[in-house]
Amino acid sequence: MKNTREMIIKSAFSFYTKPVFSNISLSMIASKAGITKAAIYRHFASREDLDNAMYNCVYEDLYNILKNFSSERADDGFSIVEDVIILLMTNREYVYYLISTCNEIILDKFLLRFKGMGLSLFDNLFSADGTVKDMEAYKDAVYMACNILYFQIVRNKIIDCMDIGDKYSEITEYASKLNMFIKKGLGQDVSELTGFRLASLDRMCMESIEGVPAVNKVFESVASIVKEKGFQGVTVEAVAKGIGLAKSSIYSKFENKAQMIQSLIDREIEEMFVIMKQNINNARNNAERAYIMMETELLFFMKKPELFTVGQWLQFQNTERIVHDDCEHERLFSTYFDGIKLYDVYPELGLPKEDFKIIAFWVLMMPVFLYMHTRKQNMTPEVVQGALKDIFFMMEKGFKRGEI
């Protein structure tokens, strides 16, 4: 009985070697497992019950690594990071299952679950009400998690595009190199970035965002619908009603709601890139260029938080173009940022190829990941911007502290 249950779970995970935003039915899982749909119900009362079992697999495998942490050894944190990277690389379906089934990948849910499972590592991270108590540790966790997830997805995409295998020895080598990169950062000189200089760059970025118009009414409508009815409540009729238009007027310009919103997001992204490019012209070195990109992006999204809600909603649309085709964003990025230097020496990441865009999008991903978490925690803009600075310095020169 146990073997059949495990086979069902393994078969369900097998659909998630890439992001999946269409429904994976129990019939499909039964067919993959070579059993009947009725046989699944002998082990799981519902699809929700099966999903809970799949989440538990992820939690338990991560728990078995994290429980080995010892605060008495300074290197334990980084050795555990390497073990986590190997686990997720050898079980890539874990990451894609979470991406495909969660509204958003928020660390808090995982860390609180591990705390509930008895991991003392997270005892002081959160208060009883779930708010962050140890901000330093929280920033470290956000930084590490973003690195692990971002570079895994990049590596998987490269391997799939190049159609090459992924041997265990190559995975362990990659884990070791990425772990060292997380620990050491880009290794750049940031001595010129004094507090006075950072304050000057902050003022410049803030002034550049002040004139940005409010978010498009479509985004306001979608965000309002999601808040009231959830992601599934977003329909063309509901969006049209929210912005005071007839449904036919939307269909006259776009094939469907996802295409409409994706088109609007592309415009917003280009607007942000234009501002970012202008701000970068004031940078004195590689590190300043990276900081300006991060600060401008953070301020832009803080002014238009509805873009986050809409972006999450798009995940749920069964549209291959949205999920897998990021050519438009890459085209926009190349238009504005080709030739911009962010580093002197390309870091050793253990990836099958080197590409400037990998580091550039890493720089752009970190503020998004940070804001996604701090927004959930209702942190003040001052706290969020302070956290961004700390994470920026981790990216440039590694961890501030000798241990995690």
Side-chain angles (χ1 to χ4, degrees):
M1 293 289 285
K2 182 179 179 182
N3 289 339
T4 303
R5 178 183 172 86
E6 291 175 351
M7 180 179 64
I8 294 169
I9 294 173
K10 184 177 180 180
S11 297
F13 270 125
S14 70
F15 288 93
Y16 295 96
T17 56
K18 293 181 179 180
V20 177
F21 298 100
S22 56
N23 180 49
I24 304 298
S25 67
L26 290 179
S27 297
M28 295 166 66
I29 295 170
S31 177
K32 176 78 74 169
I35 59 177
T36 65
K37 182 178 177 180
I40 291 181
Y41 284 111
R42 297 193 195 103
H43 301 272
F44 302 99
S46 62
R47 177 57 203 263
E48 182 180 0
D49 191 24
L50 174 56
D51 278 327
N52 287 335
M54 294 171 74
Y55 282 120
N56 286 337
C57 280
V58 180
Y59 282 123
E60 288 170 7
D61 281 355
L62 287 170
Y63 172 84
N64 287 332
I65 293 174
L66 296 173
K67 70 180 182 182
N68 295 319
F69 176 84
S70 169
S71 59
E72 296 176 358
R73 290 185 53 196
D75 65 334
D76 268 4
F78 288 106
S79 64
I80 284 176
V81 169
E82 191 165 327
D83 290 341
V84 169
I85 294 170
I86 293 172
L87 170 69
L88 296 179
M89 285 302 303
T90 52
N91 297 273
R92 65 146 69 178
E93 63 273 14
Y94 283 3
V95 169
Y96 290 128
Y97 174 70
L98 295 173
I99 290 173
S100 302
T101 58
C102 294
N103 293 358
E104 52 194 357
I105 305 294
I106 297 293
L107 274 179
D108 304 24
K109 176 181 177 181
F110 291 86
L111 300 179
L112 287 167
R113 174 71 178 268
F114 292 139
K115 181 180 178 181
M117 294 170 72
L119 279 180
S120 59
L121 174 60
F122 305 115
D123 280 350
N124 299 316
L125 188 53
F126 296 99
S127 301
D129 62 357
T131 56
V132 173
K133 184 166 63 174
D134 186 344
M135 190 61 186
E136 292 300 313
Y138 191 70
K139 285 180 289 191
D140 288 351
V142 168
Y143 172 70
M144 286 187 291
C146 186
N147 277 303
I148 292 171
L149 291 174
Y150 173 75
F151 286 110
Q152 170 166 352
I153 292 170
V154 168
R155 189 172 188 273
N156 288 341
K157 185 175 181 180
I158 293 172
I159 288 172
D160 291 344
C161 288
M162 296 176 68
D163 194 23
I164 57 178
D166 201 10
K167 299 177 183 177
Y168 184 77
S169 59
E170 294 170 338
I171 289 175
T172 56
E173 181 182 3
Y174 159 75
S176 176
K177 289 179 178 178
L178 178 59
N179 190 32
M180 185 57 65
F181 174 72
I182 293 173
K183 186 176 182 179
K184 300 295 185 181
L186 288 168
Q188 300 198 120
D189 180 13
V190 292
S191 58
E192 294 182 15
L193 266 175
T194 62
F196 180 81
R197 178 59 178 166
L198 283 173
S200 175
L201 295 177
D202 287 346
R203 284 193 298 273
M204 175 196 68
C205 292
M206 288 177 186
E207 289 171 1
S208 70
I209 298 296
E210 284 178 358
V212 171
V215 72
N216 188 287
K217 288 184 177 180
V218 170
F219 294 132
E220 292 181 350
S221 178
V222 173
S224 177
I225 295 166
V226 169
K227 185 177 181 180
E228 180 183 352
K229 300 180 180 179
F231 290 102
Q232 300 305 322
V234 180
T235 64
V236 171
E237 292 86 349
V239 173
K241 182 179 180 181
I243 59 178
L245 292 176
K247 181 175 67 173
S248 58
S249 66
I250 293 179
Y251 280 128
S252 67
K253 298 179 180 179
F254 306 99
E255 293 180 7
N256 53 53
K257 58 188 176 183
Q259 185 189 75
M260 171 187 68
I261 295 174
Q262 184 66 54
S263 175
L264 292 172
I265 284 183
D266 290 342
R267 294 180 202 172
E268 296 281 352
I269 294 299
E270 183 161 19
E271 179 185 25
M272 181 181 71
F273 282 170
V274 169
I275 297 170
M276 199 178 287
K277 173 70 172 178
Q278 292 171 345
N279 290 343
I280 286 174
N281 290 334
N282 297 292
R284 298 172 179 172
N285 51 49
N286 296 341
E288 286 197 6
R289 280 185 279 273
Y291 180 76
I292 289 171
M293 288 173 68
M294 293 172 69
E295 176 73 357
T296 303
E297 182 182 35
L298 177 65
L299 292 171
F300 187 86
F301 283 124
M302 287 173 71
K303 185 162 186 176
K304 301 189 177 189
E306 295 88 351
L307 288 176
F308 262 73
T309 302
V310 174
Q312 293 161 24
W313 173 79
L314 279 172
Q315 284 188 159
F316 288 82
Q317 306 313 298
N318 184 20
T319 307
E320 288 294 308
R321 190 188 80 81
I322 293 172
V323 175
H324 301 295
D325 180 9
D326 39 45
C327 293
E328 178 62 15
H329 286 177
E330 289 192 8
R331 182 193 69 76
L332 287 174
F333 186 87
S334 296
T335 299
Y336 293 101
F337 301 109
D338 268 0
I340 287 178
K341 284 193 67 178
L342 296 174
Y343 51 83
D344 289 322
V345 179
Y346 193 87
E348 180 56 75
L349 297 166
L351 299 176
K353 74 171 186 178
E354 297 181 1
D355 190 333
F356 160 75
K357 289 190 182 73
I358 293 174
I359 299 302
F361 280 110
W362 170 66
V363 168
L364 291 174
M365 178 59 68
M366 201 65 75
V368 172
F369 202 69
L370 172 66
Y371 182 52
M372 185 167 63
H373 283 79
T374 54
R375 187 183 175 206
K376 276 287 182 183
Q377 286 282 335
N378 294 316
M379 294 182 183
T380 65
E382 293 76 18
V383 170
V384 179
Q385 287 180 276
L388 182 77
K389 288 178 175 60
D390 289 340
I391 287 179
F392 161 75
F393 282 113
M394 292 184 206
M395 296 168 70
E396 292 293 326
K397 62 177 185 178
F399 271 90
K400 299 176 297 180
R401 293 175 281 171
E403 59 184 274
I404 297 175

